[in-house]
Amino acid sequence: MRSAYADKVHELVSRCLQARDLAYCPYSRFPVGAAILTAEGAIITGCNVENASYGLTVCAERTAVQRAVAEGHRRFLAIAATGRGAPAPDIRDRFVGPCGACRQVLMEVRVPRFGSDWTVYLTKPDGTYKETSLSELLPLAFSPEHLKLN
C-alpha cells in the first residue's frame, strides 16, 4: 500500500473484524466483515446481511462499497475482508477472499473514475493478513472499459 497510508492498515484490518461481528447470517452462520480505505483517509465498513430468499443476500464487500458511494466517496485505495465460519471452524487458519460477485463489483469501482487498482488485505479471524491486489484476485476481468463504444 502507498506509504502515506501504511499506518492505516492496522485500523483497516481492525475495523473489518469489528464489522464482521455485526453480520446478520442466520442461514450460513458465516459472518463476513469488510472495511474500505478511501483516498481521503476515511474507513467505511460493511458486513454480510442474509435473507431467507438467498439471492437477496448482500455480501460485506458490496455493502461497504455501496455505503461508501452513498456517502459520496469515489476514490478507494484498499479493502480488508475477513470471515469466521461456524460451519467451517478451520477457517481461522486460512485466508478467505471475496466471492466472485464481490470481485466484479470491486473491479467496477477500480476503474479511473473511482481510483486505480486496489490493495486487498485478506484477513484471518485473528487479525493476521495477507496483502494482494484486485488484479491478482480477478485477472483478465470484464470491466467498464469493455463497454466503451468506438
Side-chain angles (χ1 to χ4, degrees), residues 44-68:
I44 311 297
T45 61
C47 62
N48 56 322
V49 179
E50 294 182 349
N51 190 287
S53 176
Y54 293 149
L56 299 178
T57 292
V58 181
C59 297
E61 298 88 343
R62 286 183 278 161
T63 300
V65 166
Q66 292 163 355
R67 282 187 66 199

Side-chain angles (χ1 to χ4, degrees), residues 3-146:
S3 59
Y5 294 99
D7 60 331
K8 286 280 203 176
V9 174
H10 179 73
E11 182 182 1
L12 187 69
V13 167
S14 177
R15 297 281 301 276
C16 90
L17 292 166
Q18 292 169 7
R20 179 202 60 207
D21 293 339
L22 300 174
Y24 175 74
C25 53
Y27 309 107
S28 71
R29 296 187 334 253
F30 192 86
V32 178
I36 293 174
L37 177 61
T38 71
E40 300 82 23
I43 294 177
I44 311 297
T45 61
C47 62
N48 56 322
V49 179
E50 294 182 349
N51 190 287
S53 176
Y54 293 149
L56 299 178
T57 292
V58 181
C59 297
E61 298 88 343
R62 286 183 278 161
T63 300
V65 166
Q66 292 163 355
R67 282 187 66 199
V69 170
E71 292 178 17
H73 299 283
R74 296 294 188 270
R75 294 184 45 79
F76 309 112
L77 301 176
I79 185 168
T82 190
R84 181 186 68 231
D90 64 337
I91 197 77
R92 65 184 159 259
D93 296 324
R94 295 186 301 166
F95 296 105
V96 178
C99 73
C102 287
R103 292 175 194 209
Q104 186 62 46
V105 168
L106 294 173
M107 185 59 66
E108 177 74 18
V109 295
R110 180 198 67 88
V111 296
R113 68 179 170 267
F114 284 100
S116 60
D117 197 18
W118 295 57
T119 301
V120 179
Y121 294 97
L122 306 178
T123 309
K124 291 182 181 179
D126 68 2
T128 59
Y129 60 86
K130 173 183 178 178
E131 181 178 323
T132 186
S133 69
L134 181 57
S135 57
E136 285 183 45
L137 294 176
L138 190 60
L140 304 171
F142 180 79
S143 75
E145 297 296 314
H146 291 99

